[in-house]
Amino acid sequence: MSDTLMHTYARLPVSFVRGEGAWLYDDQGTAYLDALSGIAVCGLGHAHPAIGAALSDQAATLLHTSNLYHIPLQERLGDRLCAIARMDRVFFGNSGAEANEAAIKLARLHGHQRGIDLPEIVVMENSFHGRTLATLSATGNRKVQAGFEPLVRGFVRAPYDDIDALRTIAANRPNVVAVLVEPIQGEGGIRIPSETYLPALRALCDEFGWLLMLDEIQTGMGRAGRWFAHQLSGIRPDVMTVAKALGNGVPIGACLARGHAAEVLGPGNHGSTFGGNPLACRAAEAVIETIETQGLVERAAALGTHLLDALRERLAGLPGVVAIRGCGLLLGIELDRPCGALVQQALERHLLINVTAGNVIRLLPPLVLDDIQANTLVTTLCELIEDFLATSPEIAQA
Ligand SMILES: *Cc1c(COP(=O)(O)O)cnc(C)c1O
């Protein structure tokens, strides 16, 4: 095995060489049920024929020109994305972190345009916004930041789902210009805020002239049972970032904005060589088209309810299970003890899951998961959890 790759990942001992829908096949031909979708990326599953066809056609036609020229596919995708998101304008990059970088720059420039020289952005505890210097500084996880100081300045930390804490910040920090928040915290453990949180946050932002910036990188593109998770609460953000599932595996990210926020960035303020190139835009257009024609947003909602009910029926009340929560196909099972070992145990049973925040089993299955696969997922996972809880001692939480 090669050792030329930097040791940035603790990889599981498996190599996938082929996929089909919710199945991945390793180099021995063994099938694994994918309940993670490459961390919320492959919403349409693997090797979706519509995506493959669009990509091979585009690859044979035109891969890249430059943002020095008009890119009709980028404009078409922009129209389509703004329509489903109910936003006015979009900037395309290549990843989630880049989408958030664009949002952070937009917020700072908005501050400067209003005469605030050292603008601040409120960010949350246990949040995740990426691994670039600005986005790791915005991230509420010391593990992501440690060793990379000095951090980027201009972020103010607040507890999640706590509107009173934001009121205190509003009363004390006149340089705040924006809030950057996940509508559901993904890496933080599938934390779903109370129903009143986003509406109250919207009202607070309006009161203090802050931009409400939602990181929908993990929650967007149908996964939450709506195109975007915030649509469940009826509010609209000023800025929203999207990436992961937008290209179903082709790297693309987007920073969308509405109203005044859509006019902040001007010529020369921001750019990207690859961002919004014809190949990536063709992929994202095919993703939106496929989600629409196959009714996958509704499917995510229905399947999510089914999975949540089935998991609760089997696991609720089991000693060691603290909470079972979900919104569409973002599902979390919180245990009373660290459970990272479950990932390897699931792999041995040919099931791909993830554990985040130490003790939360995270499921992000593809939107194309069928009913039989859903039942296999529940049965296999519940057996695993029962075995795990029966054999691993409870370790007191710090
Ligand atoms: C994955 C993720 C990011 C970072 O996206 P990258 O494409 O890895 O840079 C940012 N925010 C959230 C909420 C994410 O889940």
Side-chain angles (χ1 to χ4, degrees), residues 67-352:
N67 285 305
L68 291 170
Y69 315 110
H70 287 280
I71 302 175
L73 276 165
Q74 192 182 114
E75 293 174 20
R76 240 159 66 189
L77 176 63
D79 289 350
R80 205 112 190 224
L81 196 54
C82 284
I84 58 172
R86 300 180 65 214
M87 302 294 274
D88 296 330
R89 294 193 200 287
V90 55
F91 174 87
F92 288 109
N94 311 289
S95 66
E98 281 176 78
N100 283 335
E101 287 275 346
I104 291 163
K105 283 181 68 176
L106 189 159
R108 285 185 167 198
L109 190 57
H110 161 77
H112 283 271
Q113 287 170 356
R114 295 175 37 182
I116 298 173
D117 290 337
L118 294 172
E120 295 178 320
I121 300 170
V122 180
V123 290
M124 303 302 155
E125 290 171 5
N126 301 314
S127 62
F128 183 79
H129 298 297
R131 298 283 196 159
T132 61
L133 279 172
T135 59
L136 74 82
S137 301
T139 290
N141 180 343
R142 273 304 296 160
K143 275 194 216 148
V144 172
Q145 298 173 339
F148 302 109
E149 296 82 0
L151 300 181
V152 172
R153 293 190 299 157
F155 295 105
V156 181
R157 188 83 46 203
Y160 190 58
D161 197 14
D162 183 344
I163 203 74
D164 290 334
L166 296 178
R167 291 199 173 286
T168 305
I169 288 170
N172 293 292
R173 306 201 69 125
N175 288 345
V176 169
V177 294
V179 182
L180 175 63
V181 59
E182 295 157 272
I184 295 168
Q185 286 188 331
E187 304 302 306
I190 312 292
R191 308 274 165 191
I192 304 171
S194 61
E195 265 179 45
T196 55
Y197 183 58
L198 285 182
L201 191 51
R202 177 70 271 177
L204 193 75
C205 286
D206 290 340
E207 187 180 337
F208 289 91
W210 297 352
L211 297 178
L212 176 54
M213 309 204 296
L214 295 183
D215 179 340
E216 289 251 18
I217 289 164
Q218 189 158 151
T219 51
M221 300 307 295
R223 176 161 295 280
R226 300 292 293 268
W227 273 111
F228 300 99
H230 72 266
Q231 292 170 340
L232 290 159
S233 70
I235 61 114
R236 289 170 74 190
D238 302 297
V239 174
M240 173 173 72
T241 53
V242 184
K244 292 202 163 90
L246 180 55
N248 206 62
V250 175
I252 182 169
C255 174
L256 296 111
R258 185 174 68 86
H260 165 74
E263 313 302 331
V264 171
L265 291 170
N269 286 150
H270 198 42
S272 165
T273 297
F274 292 133
N277 88 6
L279 185 77
C281 290
R282 183 73 185 269
E285 186 184 49
V287 166
I288 294 174
E289 176 76 23
T290 304
I291 291 175
E292 258 168 18
T293 53
Q294 298 193 1
L296 291 177
V297 179
E298 299 73 19
R299 173 69 185 159
L303 191 57
T305 303
H306 169 72
L307 285 171
L308 193 59
D309 287 349
L311 290 168
R312 283 190 171 144
E313 190 171 318
R314 182 93 184 250
L315 296 174
L318 194 70
V321 176
V322 173
I324 305 165
R325 47 186 179 254
C327 176
L329 293 177
L330 293 133
L331 297 147
I333 302 162
E334 182 175 339
L335 303 187
D336 66 352
R337 65 201 75 178
C339 60
L342 269 170
V343 173
Q344 172 72 36
Q345 292 167 15
L347 188 70
E348 284 158 15
R349 297 190 203 189
H350 306 148
L351 174 65
L352 305 181

